[in-house]
Amino acid sequence: MKCIIIDDEPLAREAVRLLVEATSGLKLLSSFADAASAEKILSGNEVDLVFLDIRMPGIDGIEFAKTIQHNTLVIFTTAYSEYAIDSYEVDAIDYLVKPIELERFQKAVEKARDYLALLSSGTQKSSVEAVTPEQLFVKSDRRYYKILFKDILFIEGLKDYVVIQTPEQKIITHMNLATIGKQLPKTDFLRVSKSYIVNTLHIDSFDNNDVFIKTFEIPIGSTYRDIFFEEFVTKNVIKDS
């Protein structure tokens, strides 16, 4: 994947460059100190992936991401965790908080690689098939997979696709989050952000900003926070008298 780095801090650009060099399948085209300087290379359709800082002079990363073409993916790299929710509102592939560990960086790159592979495969839109009270079938990579509702940890919207995460595997299919959400049991599944639906049976813990399911940390969107606390917290959490 061809990538660029946009960050106003020289040391931060160097740190991401080293991560890129340590990750197979990435080719760094260039680095930029501000978003405006990167516009020319992006307009040439050469870039698959942008590692983008958020707080920069001039146009910030969130606003700049809104101008980037649909087929160029964005991974935010920032020192400020409070922007995580905003990043998902602009369909960022992932959000990395500095200092970035190599394993976490490579996990984000893998997610971007999965999405680009789906785009290049020309997969047609799928539909949920054979829904029963206990399970559903979805199409992924020319096969139909049976998925038990009780096994779903969460579902992540990845632009035009969804990632269905179970304890053993993730299944990616060409479908939007709203479509699959209509097929899920309302008693157990709850949308917590623009990009995530969680199975409340698998929630291990939570705070005001995130839900934790096994090793996964899932952000709670600001527009969904009241619904989460009303639908899940008030019904499941024992409060002190």
Side-chain angles (χ1 to χ4, degrees):
M1 291 186 293
K2 297 177 182 178
C3 64
I4 62 172
I5 299 166
I6 307 175
D7 197 307
D8 63 313
E9 295 289 340
L11 290 178
R13 291 197 301 275
E14 176 64 11
V16 177
R17 184 188 68 80
L18 292 174
L19 290 167
V20 169
E21 289 186 350
T23 304
S24 63
L26 289 180
K27 178 183 179 181
L28 182 62
L29 297 180
S30 190
S31 296
F32 303 92
D34 59 80
S37 300
E39 289 181 344
K40 183 175 181 180
I41 193 170
L42 286 168
S43 65
N45 297 318
E46 301 177 36
V47 182
D48 299 310
L49 181 60
V50 180
F51 296 102
L52 179 61
D53 189 20
I54 291 180
R55 292 184 62 172
M56 297 183 293
I59 184 171
D60 67 36
I62 296 291
E63 290 303 313
F64 185 67
K66 296 176 182 178
T67 71
I68 295 176
Q69 298 180 70
H70 182 71
N71 58 344
T72 297
L73 308 182
V74 172
I75 294 176
F76 284 111
T77 57
T78 178
Y80 303 94
S81 59
E82 63 265 29
Y83 292 106
I85 300 302
D86 294 331
S87 75
Y88 289 108
E89 295 300 315
V90 294
D91 288 328
I93 288 295
D94 214 332
Y95 183 96
L96 303 177
V97 179
K98 304 169 185 175
I100 304 167
E101 297 182 355
L102 178 60
E103 181 180 359
R104 181 67 181 87
F105 180 85
Q106 292 178 337
K107 182 179 179 181
V109 171
E110 180 184 358
K111 186 186 294 188
R113 186 179 292 119
D114 286 344
Y115 182 71
L116 287 174
L118 287 168
L119 286 181
S120 63
S121 70
T123 304
Q124 299 299 310
K125 280 194 174 293
S126 304
S127 59
V128 178
E129 304 287 342
V131 180
T132 75
E134 293 82 28
Q135 67 188 36
L136 78 166
F137 278 83
V138 296
K139 186 179 181 181
S140 178
D141 194 24
R142 299 185 298 278
R143 294 174 59 185
Y144 286 90
Y145 290 82
K146 180 178 76 173
I147 305 173
L148 300 178
F149 291 127
K150 67 181 181 65
D151 291 338
I152 298 174
L153 301 180
F154 61 86
I155 302 172
E156 178 185 3
L158 192 65
K159 290 184 178 283
D160 300 324
Y161 293 81
V162 295
V163 180
I164 303 171
Q165 183 71 56
T166 73
E168 293 79 26
Q169 63 180 334
K170 62 180 179 181
I171 297 171
I172 305 175
T173 186
H174 198 314
M175 187 185 309
N176 63 51
L177 203 60
T179 298
I180 195 167
K182 295 175 182 177
Q183 311 297 327
L184 302 172
K186 298 297 186 292
T187 53
D188 298 333
F189 288 87
L190 185 63
R191 189 161 183 172
V192 296
S193 74
K194 179 182 177 182
S195 300
Y196 286 94
I197 296 173
V198 301
N199 187 339
T200 58
L201 298 176
H202 290 289
I203 293 177
D204 296 314
S205 62
F206 64 89
D207 57 27
N208 285 333
N209 299 309
D210 300 284
V211 170
F212 301 88
I213 298 178
K214 298 189 180 297
T215 61
F216 301 97
E217 181 176 340
I218 299 165
I220 302 172
S222 56
T223 58
Y224 294 85
R225 186 172 288 112
D226 289 345
I227 296 174
F228 174 75
F229 278 88
E230 178 181 347
E231 294 296 323
F232 176 75
V233 178
T234 60
K235 295 178 182 179
N236 293 279
V237 178
I238 299 176
K239 297 179 177 61
D240 293 332
S241 58

